[in-house]
Amino acid sequence: MLGKGRGSSYEELDEESEGDSRFGVNKRALYEPSGMVDRVRRVIVSPKRACCIAIIVFLCILSIALIAAFSRPFVCCACKENVDSEPDSLVGQQQGNDSQSSLSSNGTSSVVTPPTATNGEPFPWTSVRLPDFVVPLSYSISLHPNLTTFVNKGTVNVTFTLKEPQKFIVLHVKELELSNFHLETGNTVVGVRKTLIYVKYEQLYIEFDNILGENVPYSLSIDFKGNLSEKLEGFYLSSYRTSAGETRYLATTHFEPTYARLAFPCFDEPSLKATFRVSIIREGRHISLFNMPIAQTKKLSDNLYVDYYNDTVMMSTYLVAFIVSDHLNVTAVTANNVTVSVYSPAEQLHQAAFALEVATSVLDFYDSFFGIPYPLPKQDLVAIPDFGAGAMENWGLTTYRETAILTDSNETSVGKIQQVALTITHELAHQWFGDLVTMSWWNDLWLNEGFASFVENLGTDHVRPEWNMMDQFVLSKTQPALQLDSLASSHPISVKVDNPSDIESIFDTISYSKGAAIIYMLESFLGKTTLQRGLKTYLNTYKYKNAKTEDLWRVLSLESHNMNVSLDVEAIMDTWTQQMGFPLVTIERKGNVVTAKQQRFLVGSSAEEDGVSSEFYSKYGYKWHIPLTYTTDKSSKPKLVWLNLGDAEFKVSSDVKWIKFNTNQTGFYRVMYSERDWRNLIEALKTDHTVFTAVDRASLLDDAFTLARNNLLDSTIPLEMAGYLTNETAYVPWITALECFMEMEMTLKERKSLRNLIEYFQRLLLPIVSEVGWKDQGTHLQRLLRPSILFIASHYGDEEVIDEALKRFREWKTNNVSIPPSLRAVVYTVGIKYGTYEDWKHCWDYFNATQIPSEQQTLLNALGASRDPWVLSQYLEYSLQRDKIRPQNTFMVLRTVSHNPIGRDLTWRFVRSNWKQLLEQFGGGSFAMSNIISDSTEGFSTEFDYHELKAFFDAHDVGSGKRAVKSTLEIIRSKIQWIEKNEQTVEKWLEENSDKKIKRKEIKRV
């Protein structure tokens, strides 16, 4: 399937003094002598009487102990002998740490209320995980989704065996009507004694009349019925509108991570793989699609057909997919004779050519790279109008948002075309990493997403080598992951999760981008050849099976020995996957001796007061095996020093002037230099910045600004470093710099020093604005850089850029003069920001009329730039009206309006007012709720903001957004602390380094 510092806590500390005093009095009564002689009583007895009393007391204690030892309190983890007891007894078994705990926090036994089924009876199984004694073998599923009544009816027949004799099984099911339960083995029918449903765990308990035998195949048949809802999960309803205004419907699926149970009863855990056979009844005007090709089609009536599909290979339930629609397709064949098809609505089919080219090419590349041919006969890629995730790797039937797969070279920007290529190569990488070999449980989600996020760059680099994807890697993966993982509310890459909402919450930057970044680091010290050979061995060893992180490390360790590298990969990489965060490496130089010390880099020293920093214990004490690389002014060839759970000391030439550590930011850590070394690096940048690679220049900016935001570095150092940018023309350093500028601007919003800061940034931008110009030409990276530079220049009030953008907007609006696709975001945004309501309405009407998804996305973001509060309020209201804004785009509207200074408070007020609806619609969805929380609060930076947000979120359910809430509060606190400690210093430096001789017009429109 995509501020910092120290100080006091900002939690409310007011407690009732009366309560405090009562507690104090009680403690004094217990522990302090009263001084009152008449309250001291002595009991004087004879020795014989004392002995009798002692015996009686001993017998009483012994009796109590025996009663406690042999009594059986009602707990949620029953022993195995309870399994075959009466159905009202609890039969949940412990499965590692996955069952409900029967211990309280202090280790004593606690009585837990049993789960209750929908009929009011106790639900016997008590673990959120399914029993481990069931082995599903195959599913046969028949479906009849009615696109008129929006109801799906079907039957599932699942064949399974048991590892041990049992009288019951447990499956998953959610929001389905079930009937006609039937179990048989051979020609023998086994009676179904009882069925119960526990809604919280989405489980179906089935008890039989007889005990089922071990290793005997049983076939369970269940009829089911469910609505084709619009929730973007399970088997759901989507629609699109033709250019003639006709609404057409389709039924499609999204099952990851725990939504297959919404479509049919199943064993919905990734390790419970099986084969799947599907038949789908459809109308003649529709087609159906499944993971495998159609075996045959039969006509049922004048307008009804049934498609029968070939059996799948062994696969997990979350990878099953089926679609009924009127899409058309374009097709090609790979070198290995795999049929590749891209499906879309008829009017958009001309936008499928690029996706087809990328998919066909990259499948051949992956065949070679992974050393295993793509195992299915076909690969379908389908554009889905309503889709919560960006895309989904269903085996043989990958699904995408329309914006993630459809392009038009005359209408789509180079940035969006690149993103389409990355999305496709990501999902097709999953066909090996995730589909062929699947993680055993969701705690190792990163095995799927981290590897796909890394390999997508290799795949795209194969398709378009001139795009320099690995240079861009630090922008899309490393830097965002470092930012999130510096928070106390982060989590380890491998993290324990059980229930669906916890599983949803780890579909985040850590699993995706940090996972990719540590693989990039692994490749840097292991070597490309060793890594590739190891991946081939891993995939061949575990194909059609499940694996854990340690399985991969074992294979790579063995491969490193075979290649004479001899690294204990598991020992090294466990320090990166089993503990959250990353190290800060502090460099000290004395003569020719360099000392490198490591400590955890953590934003905000007061995080402990929120109770988030102690959530994850580290057995490594937050120390890492660090591959520390460096270059010097005497040698551009990288050298490697290991910091093995501690510090390191080494020597360099005594005449070395500067050392740059973490070469090309391949390591997942930050570097802190002495002030002298920072000054030497800045001097080198200003003298000849090309002595560093573009990525190294970006990493210096990234580290300097981040360390300053965390009060570890004088904030004037990064500002001084940024001065070299007047000579910079490369894409990667400039995008890093722009991110740093925006972060600093957001922190200083509404502060006195903001004006001087913007003037300084504008001065740095003048040369590059002139360099990029308005002609959409040059290399790929130049064409990517141009719109970013022009956009930020207009944001900071560059009059010439604004005037040119307004001129192009008026020519487009009045005379339909085409705007180069890569420049449209700038032109539309400026036109709406400085235009009238009629200009906004023109763009809104065009948004609704165009059949180009990428153009719709560009307009969707630009429409939030209006400076009219009423227009912004109306736009926010549209975001929750399905006929105006698709639900998948709601958070995009919230983000673009909240980034508008006029819309910031409007957005937060809207979110608060509509919280219940937002939670119902997005509360369980991966990414969505987290995005809504973070995007609607990103501009907050005051103590008032902190208290208001914390009070609101403390009082409301946040669904899968719990981590986002913690992160948001941490970031706001860190901004507050930075302002307190640095604002005056920054303001003084800006005044001292101001240059009133700005060559362009004075800023007037900020």
Side-chain angles (χ1 to χ4, degrees):
M1 258 196 343
L2 243 273
K4 296 89 185 166
R6 303 178 182 87
S8 60
S9 169
Y10 291 90
E11 292 193 66
E12 291 288 352
L13 299 177
D14 295 336
E15 297 180 7
E16 294 184 18
S17 58
E18 187 179 6
D20 290 341
S21 64
R22 283 200 302 268
F23 179 70
V25 168
N26 289 336
K27 286 181 68 98
R28 284 194 294 271
L30 286 170
Y31 297 109
E32 294 181 6
S34 67
M36 299 174 66
V37 177
D38 60 333
R39 292 187 181 180
V40 180
R41 298 172 182 260
R42 297 182 180 181
V43 180
I44 302 175
V45 296
S46 67
K48 182 176 180 180
R49 186 176 179 186
C51 183
C52 292
I53 292 173
I55 292 171
I56 292 170
V57 169
F58 172 77
L59 291 174
C60 290
I61 293 173
L62 179 62
S63 301
I64 293 170
L66 290 172
I67 291 170
F70 289 97
S71 63
R72 299 181 63 85
F74 191 85
V75 297
C76 282
C77 301
C79 298
K80 185 174 180 180
E81 62 261 30
N82 285 17
V83 168
D84 294 323
S85 63
E86 290 299 312
D88 285 348
S89 66
L90 292 177
V91 296
Q93 293 175 279
Q94 288 189 358
Q95 299 182 2
N97 293 324
D98 298 319
S99 60
Q100 288 184 346
S101 175
S102 61
L103 297 178
S104 65
S105 59
N106 62 8
T108 59
S109 296
S110 62
V111 179
V112 181
T113 304
T116 303
T118 52
N119 65 355
E121 293 187 29
F123 189 83
W125 186 254
T126 63
S127 173
V128 70
R129 298 286 299 275
L130 296 182
D132 58 6
F133 54 74
V134 180
V135 181
L137 302 176
S138 64
Y139 292 80
S140 178
I141 306 168
S142 62
L143 302 163
H144 184 187
N146 190 315
L147 291 181
T148 301
T149 63
F150 306 139
V151 171
N152 176 53
K153 295 180 181 179
T155 300
V156 60
N157 192 306
V158 56
T159 300
F160 64 91
T161 62
L162 300 179
K163 297 179 182 179
E164 60 188 47
Q166 290 289 354
K167 202 174 182 180
F168 73 97
I169 62 170
V170 182
L171 299 85
H172 285 115
V173 69
K174 183 177 180 181
E175 297 177 10
L176 294 175
E177 297 178 23
L178 308 180
S179 61
N180 298 330
F181 294 81
H182 180 81
L183 182 74
E184 62 180 43
T185 178
N187 295 322
T188 303
V189 175
V190 181
V192 175
R193 181 181 180 188
K194 176 181 287 190
T195 62
L196 298 170
I197 290 177
Y198 182 42
V199 173
K200 181 178 179 181
Y201 287 173
E202 300 166 0
Q203 291 176 346
L204 167 65
Y205 171 89
I206 306 176
E207 187 173 308
F208 306 103
D209 289 338
N210 305 317
I211 295 177
L212 308 187
E214 182 180 354
N215 294 325
V216 177
Y218 291 91
S219 179
L220 173 66
S221 175
I222 306 172
D223 292 342
F224 58 87
K225 177 182 176 182
N227 294 323
L228 295 171
S229 72
E230 297 178 327
K231 289 186 177 180
L232 311 185
E233 57 194 34
F235 194 19
Y236 69 91
L237 189 69
S238 180
S239 65
Y240 69 92
R241 195 177 307 160
T242 68
S243 58
E246 178 188 359
T247 298
R248 297 186 180 180
Y249 294 97
L250 59 147
T252 186
T253 57
H254 181 74
F255 290 164
E256 189 181 31
T258 58
Y259 299 138
R261 64 195 68 174
L262 278 162
F264 57 95
C266 56
F267 300 97
D268 199 11
E269 294 186 358
S271 64
L272 300 179
K273 291 190 171 186
T275 61
F276 294 82
R277 174 182 298 175
V278 165
S279 64
I280 301 175
I281 297 174
R282 59 172 175 82
E283 295 182 52
R285 61 195 172 104
H286 292 137
I287 63 166
S288 71
L289 297 170
F290 177 57
N291 302 79
M292 295 294 287
I294 289 179
Q296 63 173 322
T297 298
K298 291 184 178 180
K299 189 172 185 178
L300 296 180
S301 64
D302 288 344
N303 194 39
L304 283 183
Y305 297 80
V306 58
D307 295 328
Y308 296 93
Y309 285 88
N310 293 323
D311 292 0
T312 70
V313 295
M314 293 290 288
M315 58 190 287
S316 303
T317 49
Y318 79 89
L319 296 170
V320 175
F322 30 82
I323 296 170
V324 176
S325 73
D326 64 354
H327 282 19
L328 301 181
N329 71 288
V330 292
T331 300
V333 179
T334 70
N336 288 329
N337 206 34
V338 175
T339 300
V340 181
S341 301
V342 180
Y343 288 81
S344 77
E347 293 181 325
Q348 297 175 329
L349 193 60
H350 69 284
Q351 301 176 55
F354 179 70
L356 184 65
E357 176 198 345
V358 171
T360 305
S361 177
V362 84
L363 280 177
D364 285 334
F365 170 73
Y366 287 158
D367 281 350
S368 173
F369 182 82
F370 293 125
I372 300 175
Y374 177 73
L376 304 184
K378 62 96 175 177
Q379 171 60 233
D380 295 334
L381 300 86
V382 187
I384 305 297
D386 300 280
F387 199 66
M392 178 61 204
E393 66 265 23
N394 317 301
W395 211 354
L397 181 58
T398 52
T399 47
Y400 304 79
R401 284 192 186 189
E402 292 177 333
T403 54
I405 190 173
L406 301 178
T407 65
D408 184 325
S409 59
N410 295 318
E411 304 288 344
T412 307
S413 70
V414 291
K416 288 187 172 66
I417 290 173
Q418 176 179 291
Q419 190 55 51
V420 165
L422 284 167
T423 303
I424 292 170
T425 55
H426 179 104
E427 302 310 324
L428 296 187
H430 273 309
Q431 307 299 292
W432 285 264
F433 256 98
D435 297 4
L436 183 64
V437 179
T438 311
M439 78 261 142
S440 294
W441 182 245
W442 298 106
N443 60 295
D444 280 328
L445 172 68
W446 88 276
L447 277 178
N448 286 15
E449 299 300 348
F451 267 90
S453 297
F454 173 72
V455 173
E456 71 184 36
N457 293 274
L458 305 182
T460 304
D461 201 52
H462 168 77
V463 177
R464 291 288 189 273
E466 69 275 14
W467 288 1
N468 300 106
M469 291 310 305
M470 294 315 295
D471 282 354
Q472 298 183 57
F473 184 89
V474 297
L475 297 178
S476 61
K477 302 296 186 291
T478 306
Q479 292 177 7
L482 286 168
Q483 183 175 11
L484 179 60
D485 206 30
S486 64
L487 300 174
S489 52
S490 182
H491 63 83
I493 285 180
S494 293
V495 59
K496 182 182 181 298
V497 287
D498 288 323
N499 64 65
S501 65
D502 286 342
I503 294 169
E504 291 280 7
S505 72
I506 63 169
F507 281 79
D508 62 4
T509 301
I510 299 301
S511 297
Y512 285 71
S513 297
K514 182 181 179 180
I518 67 166
I519 296 164
Y520 188 37
M521 179 174 67
L522 174 66
E523 181 195 63
S524 72
F525 66 78
L526 203 58
K528 292 182 179 179
T529 301
T530 303
L531 177 63
Q532 185 178 358
R533 286 168 61 99
L535 295 182
K536 288 180 179 180
T537 302
Y538 169 79
L539 290 170
N540 273 294
T541 301
Y542 295 99
K543 60 185 177 183
Y544 305 110
K545 300 175 186 176
N546 298 81
K548 299 178 180 179
T549 297
E550 53 262 37
D551 298 322
L552 175 63
W553 297 154
R554 252 191 316 271
V555 170
L556 291 175
S557 292
L558 180 62
E559 197 59 48
S560 76
H561 289 294
N562 294 339
M563 298 291 288
N564 296 318
V565 181
S566 298
L567 289 170
D568 188 342
V569 175
E570 184 171 9
I572 294 169
M573 297 307 292
D574 277 353
T575 65
W576 297 94
T577 60
Q578 293 185 12
Q579 58 184 351
M580 62 190 282
F582 59 87
L584 170 66
V585 179
T586 300
I587 303 298
E588 297 177 358
R589 269 211 293 166
K590 292 184 179 179
N592 66 337
V593 178
V594 178
T595 303
K597 298 180 179 180
Q598 65 164 295
Q599 66 185 81
R600 182 184 177 187
F601 182 83
L602 185 63
V603 169
S605 62
S606 62
E608 293 85 352
E609 298 176 34
D610 283 337
V612 294
S613 60
S614 60
E615 184 178 355
F616 297 104
Y617 164 77
S618 170
K619 65 181 179 182
Y620 303 102
Y622 290 104
K623 300 291 183 180
W624 289 262
H625 290 286
I626 305 173
L628 183 65
T629 55
Y630 68 93
T631 58
T632 72
D633 60 315
K634 303 302 180 183
S635 174
S636 60
K637 183 179 180 179
K639 295 183 179 180
L640 172 64
V641 175
W642 280 96
L643 277 65
N644 293 311
L645 302 177
D647 305 332
E649 187 174 280
F650 57 96
K651 294 182 178 181
V652 297
S653 175
S654 58
D655 60 346
V656 164
K657 186 171 184 181
W658 57 258
I659 308 178
K660 164 64 176 68
F661 287 90
N662 196 6
T663 306
N664 287 325
Q665 210 167 10
T666 54
F668 196 74
Y669 52 86
R670 295 202 180 278
V671 181
M672 176 67 175
Y673 303 89
S674 67
E675 183 174 352
R676 183 191 69 174
D677 284 330
W678 279 116
R679 299 291 179 189
N680 288 338
L681 289 166
I682 292 171
E683 182 183 351
L685 282 169
K686 291 184 175 181
T687 302
D688 180 9
H689 62 279
T690 62
V691 298
F692 305 101
T693 66
V695 177
D696 272 339
R697 302 196 297 269
S699 76
L700 283 171
L701 288 166
D702 186 41
D703 278 351
F705 273 93
T706 301
L707 292 168
R709 284 199 302 270
N710 202 44
N711 298 310
L712 295 174
L713 180 65
D714 186 333
S715 290
T716 65
I717 294 287
L719 289 172
E720 186 175 343
M721 179 184 290
Y724 101 90
L725 290 168
T726 55
N727 296 314
E728 182 64 84
T729 59
Y731 175 72
V732 177
W734 260 116
I735 297 303
T736 300
L738 298 185
E739 290 288 341
C740 295
F741 291 176
M742 292 299 291
E743 180 73 27
M744 203 166 187
E745 179 200 345
M746 295 283 278
T747 302
L748 289 173
K749 274 188 180 296
E750 303 173 8
R751 313 296 295 190
K752 177 184 176 183
S753 53
L754 180 62
R755 171 67 60 174
N756 287 337
L757 183 72
I758 289 176
E759 288 182 354
Y760 178 62
F761 290 162
Q762 191 198 34
R763 195 159 62 250
L764 298 178
L765 284 163
L766 288 176
I768 191 65
V769 169
S770 298
E771 174 77 18
V772 299
W774 281 89
K775 291 183 179 179
D776 187 19
Q777 61 185 17
T779 67
H780 178 72
L781 291 183
Q782 287 171 335
R783 295 180 70 199
L784 283 178
L785 177 61
R786 181 173 293 107
S788 296
I789 292 296
L790 294 177
F791 187 93
I792 202 72
S794 70
H795 174 73
Y796 288 144
D798 188 308
E799 287 282 347
E800 291 186 15
V801 171
I802 292 170
D803 289 344
E804 179 65 24
L806 286 173
K807 184 184 79 170
R808 290 172 179 250
F809 181 84
R810 295 187 189 104
E811 289 174 346
W812 166 73
K813 178 188 172 187
T814 306
N815 302 317
N816 201 28
V817 176
S818 179
I819 303 166
S822 295
L823 301 180
R824 290 180 186 177
V826 181
V827 173
Y828 293 162
T829 300
V830 172
I832 289 172
K833 181 176 181 180
Y834 297 108
T836 63
Y837 173 70
E838 287 70 26
D839 294 325
W840 189 94
K841 184 66 164 54
H842 180 83
C843 290
W844 172 252
D845 292 340
Y846 181 46
F847 166 80
N848 286 287
T850 182
Q851 292 290 316
I852 309 294
S854 58
E855 186 78 337
Q856 289 179 323
Q857 187 178 45
T858 300
L859 288 159
L860 198 69
N861 283 308
L863 286 163
S866 172
R867 296 189 292 181
D868 185 332
W870 178 83
V871 169
L872 294 176
S873 296
Q874 176 182 253
Y875 193 38
L876 289 169
E877 293 294 337
Y878 285 176
S879 72
L880 288 179
Q881 298 175 29
R882 186 179 291 267
D883 61 332
K884 290 185 169 62
I885 302 288
R886 294 187 185 277
Q888 67 200 34
N889 293 325
T890 296
F891 79 89
M892 292 179 63
V893 175
L894 298 180
R895 179 178 61 201
T896 187
V897 177
S898 69
H899 285 186
N900 181 339
I902 297 172
R904 189 196 77 161
D905 292 335
L906 290 174
T907 305
W908 175 235
R909 188 160 61 241
F910 176 82
V911 167
R912 283 184 303 170
S913 300
N914 294 276
W915 187 257
K916 183 178 180 181
Q917 183 177 348
L918 290 168
L919 189 66
E920 289 174 354
Q921 192 162 328
F922 304 108
S926 56
F927 291 123
M929 209 64 208
S930 295
N931 285 335
I932 288 170
I933 292 168
S934 58
D935 289 336
S936 64
T937 60
E938 187 175 3
F940 288 9
S941 60
T942 69
E943 188 172 344
F944 177 84
D945 295 333
Y946 180 93
H947 284 300
E948 183 178 12
L949 264 63
K950 190 173 190 309
F952 179 83
F953 289 130
D954 283 348
H956 292 81
D957 180 14
V958 296
S960 58
K962 295 182 181 68
R963 292 191 190 281
V965 170
K966 293 179 180 179
S967 300
T968 296
L969 293 174
E970 280 188 82
I971 291 168
I972 295 172
R973 185 197 298 107
S974 69
K975 289 178 180 178
I976 296 168
Q977 294 166 350
W978 184 88
I979 289 171
E980 291 174 348
K981 296 185 178 183
N982 294 279
E983 184 181 14
Q984 291 183 357
T985 301
V986 168
E987 184 175 352
K988 181 180 178 182
W989 186 92
L990 290 170
E991 289 176 353
E992 291 174 350
N993 291 270
S994 65
D995 181 2
K996 299 303 181 182
K997 297 178 182 180
I998 298 177
K999 295 180 181 180
R1000 293 186 186 273
K1001 300 175 185 178
E1002 291 294 326
I1003 300 173
K1004 297 178 181 178
R1005 292 176 169 172
V1006 175

